Amino acid sequence: MDSNIIYQLMKNYSLTAGKILMSYRGKVKNKPKESGVGGEYSEAGLALTVVDEMIQEGFLWELYKSGMKVKINCEEETPLKELFRMNLESEFTVHQDPCDGTKPYLEGKDDFATGYGISDRENNFTHTVIYAPARERIYVASPYETKVLNGKLEEISENS
């Protein structure tokens, strides 16, 4: 299995997710979760929007269509997770947080991002993509590159 194919998918899909996030920033309402990660209560950890669900569903569908047999770790509950449940022998896990910083997102602020990662069987992250669309920055890291990109996936310096 080639994790670099999924890494490219993560980079490309982060742009789609960023467009969706920017279209609805400050315009959607919170759909509170019943409990946070591990059952802990936290106002920020319980924030959820239809946009979180829409972005996660879109990414999972693209990942499924790629034909790659991977495990997934996604923040929101969805029936699409069932498509990946039998991939227990996969070499790696694909992670997604559709909107990290949902509370600032709901308030129309800039402090949110969409995030993706790949970890190996020992839970070491090997590939990461974080897109902060309000700041027009995509942060990518893999065994072959560590860069900051713009919305056209062109390398930029952090001083730009």
Side-chain angles (χ1 to χ4, degrees), residues 92-155:
F92 53 88
T93 301
V94 177
H95 306 264
Q96 181 196 27
D97 186 348
C99 182
D100 186 31
T102 305
K103 192 169 184 225
Y105 177 75
L106 288 165
E107 296 167 351
K109 297 179 181 172
D110 292 350
D111 302 327
F112 63 92
T114 185
Y116 308 82
I118 300 173
S119 64
D120 62 21
R121 287 184 183 193
E122 289 78 39
N123 295 320
N124 299 307
F125 276 78
T126 58
H127 300 74
T128 304
V129 175
I130 299 170
Y131 182 27
R135 297 196 169 125
E136 299 182 13
R137 296 286 190 268
I138 303 172
Y139 303 90
V140 298
S142 78
Y144 312 104
E145 67 179 353
T146 301
K147 297 179 181 177
V148 179
L149 308 174
N150 64 19
K152 295 180 182 174
L153 296 180
E154 300 166 332
E155 187 171 2

Side-chain angles (χ1 to χ4, degrees), residues 60-125:
L60 290 179
W61 184 244
E62 291 300 318
L63 185 59
Y64 179 74
K65 287 189 328 184
S66 77
M68 302 292 277
K69 303 292 184 202
V70 299
K71 292 184 283 186
I72 59 165
N73 175 26
C74 296
E75 195 165 278
E76 313 310 338
E77 286 307 314
T78 172
L80 282 180
K81 285 184 175 182
E82 289 298 320
L83 298 173
F84 299 89
R85 293 221 193 274
M86 292 180 276
N87 298 339
L88 299 176
E89 299 303 317
S90 176
E91 297 174 33
F92 53 88
T93 301
V94 177
H95 306 264
Q96 181 196 27
D97 186 348
C99 182
D100 186 31
T102 305
K103 192 169 184 225
Y105 177 75
L106 288 165
E107 296 167 351
K109 297 179 181 172
D110 292 350
D111 302 327
F112 63 92
T114 185
Y116 308 82
I118 300 173
S119 64
D120 62 21
R121 287 184 183 193
E122 289 78 39
N123 295 320
N124 299 307
F125 276 78

